[in-house]
Amino acid sequence: MTYLAVAYLGMLVAIALWTWTVVQRSRRLDERLEALERADRGGTEATKKTDG
Amino acid sequence: MKWGEALLVLGFMGIGSTLLLALLWAPSVSINAFESPAAQRIFYWHVPAAWAAFIAFGALFVGSAGWLFQRSEWMWRLHVAGSEAGLACGLMAVWSGCVWGQAEWGTPWDWTDVRLNSFGLLTLLAIYVVLGRNSQPDGVETRDTFAAFGLYGFVLVPLTYVATRIWTIRHPGPVIGTGDEGSINGEMGLVLLLGAISFTVFIVGHMIASMRLTALEQRLESMLSMRDGGA
């Protein structure tokens, strides 16, 4: 029963890690895209001010 | 929390509950019928993992066909999600099967058994598609190549499904959907059903999260190339 519990828990930890990786990658990409969009907006506003 | 992530958490909780029920609540099998009755409890993980792998390989097939025939970005994202989910579930089914095989048969693998080898090939195909795609630059030729593997590799799914009905060599035959009462009682069936539902919810959540991830990566890549082009 011990080796069975170890095998089960090993697989549970493996899918937890896989899930964590997907969620973290998704959050990091979200943050990066938001930062890029902010930078683009900032650049456009600065250009408008210079033109005005 | 996003829709896919909510399904992931729900499915993961269900899988954890299945694990607890399988170890602590599900009745033991006859000591006369099995060499290692305790190891039989891995069945509550092995069968739902294989079921989820079939769902993922189905998604891989649909996504591959959709990319090849419609050139749809959404279908390509389904191909990516299906191959990754198929790989994870395939590895879980193979690994849990090896653990049981070692305890019950005295060997983790049997090279003469059709079910074992066709499912092993499916998992190898998923490894090839995932690793191969990640090692190549994204483009129409790369996508066509891996979509063709996803499309034609699917033939192994029905073969794997019918293998124990046609060639019962070593892998146990079907216990449900056999037309008669089957060999599992009510409590066993309940834990197996909970496992199957949990794995289904989990893998659908994973595919939704993975498709969103691919969309974000594509958006980031196009934004960066626009910035590079504009600079």
Side-chain angles (χ1 to χ4, degrees):
Chain A
M1 207 60 170
T2 311
Y3 79 89
L4 186 65
V6 169
Y8 256 139
L9 286 173
M11 286 187 286
L12 199 66
V13 169
I15 60 169
L17 281 174
W18 177 46
T19 304
W20 178 252
T21 311
V22 169
V23 172
Q24 286 305 107
R25 267 175 70 199
S26 177
R27 295 213 168 134
R28 271 201 302 272
L29 278 170
D30 266 334
E31 284 168 10
R32 218 172 144 197
L33 280 165
E34 271 172 33
L36 272 172
E37 278 167 356
R38 265 201 310 273
D40 280 350
R41 274 201 302 272
T44 314
E45 278 164 23
T47 313
K48 274 183 193 165
K49 275 180 191 168
T50 316
D51 290 346
Chain B
M1 188 183 276
K2 311 279 185 311
W3 179 234
E5 289 176 16
L7 285 178
L8 268 177
V9 172
L10 193 68
F12 191 78
M13 283 162 60
I15 291 172
S17 308
T18 306
L19 173 99
L20 278 177
L21 290 173
L23 287 174
L24 305 173
W25 185 69
S28 186
V29 288
S30 160
I31 53 166
N32 300 321
F34 288 88
E35 287 289 319
S36 175
Q40 182 273 340
R41 290 172 193 274
I42 213 150
F43 157 85
Y44 301 108
W45 183 290
H46 178 74
V47 176
W51 162 251
F54 283 153
I55 294 175
F57 287 125
L60 172 63
F61 173 75
V62 173
S64 301
W67 167 255
L68 283 172
F69 299 118
Q70 295 180 343
R71 292 288 188 237
S72 155
E73 281 295 327
W74 193 90
M75 286 293 191
W76 175 251
R77 292 200 284 272
L78 186 65
H79 162 100
V80 174
S83 60
E84 288 175 357
L87 171 60
C89 292
L91 286 175
M92 279 193 279
V94 167
W95 166 247
S96 55
C98 287
V99 169
W100 182 76
Q102 183 62 47
E104 183 67 24
W105 303 330
T107 177
W109 198 261
D110 183 346
W111 293 105
T112 62
D113 189 277
V114 181
R115 164 66 68 86
L116 262 64
N117 290 290
S118 60
F119 195 88
L121 267 177
L122 255 177
T123 308
L124 279 176
L125 175 88
I127 292 176
Y128 172 73
V129 170
V130 170
L131 294 182
R133 193 184 52 234
N134 288 337
S135 71
Q136 300 293 317
D138 190 22
V140 174
E141 292 85 359
T142 304
R143 289 185 181 193
D144 283 352
T145 305
F146 291 107
F149 275 100
L151 192 71
Y152 291 113
F154 186 76
V155 76
L156 287 166
V157 170
L159 177 74
T160 304
Y161 183 73
V162 299
T164 51
R165 286 170 168 81
I166 299 174
W167 309 281
T168 307
I169 297 170
R170 200 157 200 177
H171 191 286
V175 290
I176 48 171
T178 52
D180 53 20
E181 283 182 11
S183 57
I184 53 173
N185 70 21
E187 286 159 340
M188 286 174 159
L190 204 61
V191 182
L192 185 64
L193 182 67
L194 176 67
I197 293 171
S198 305
F199 265 92
T200 304
V201 171
F202 179 76
I203 213 63
V204 169
H206 238 297
M207 288 197 288
I208 293 173
S210 179
M211 286 176 76
R212 185 172 173 276
L213 187 65
T214 311
L216 288 175
E217 281 171 348
Q218 287 172 339
R219 204 169 131 219
L220 180 68
E221 209 169 297
S222 88
M223 278 181 84
L224 289 173
S225 64
M226 272 170 65
R227 282 166 75 98
D228 289 346

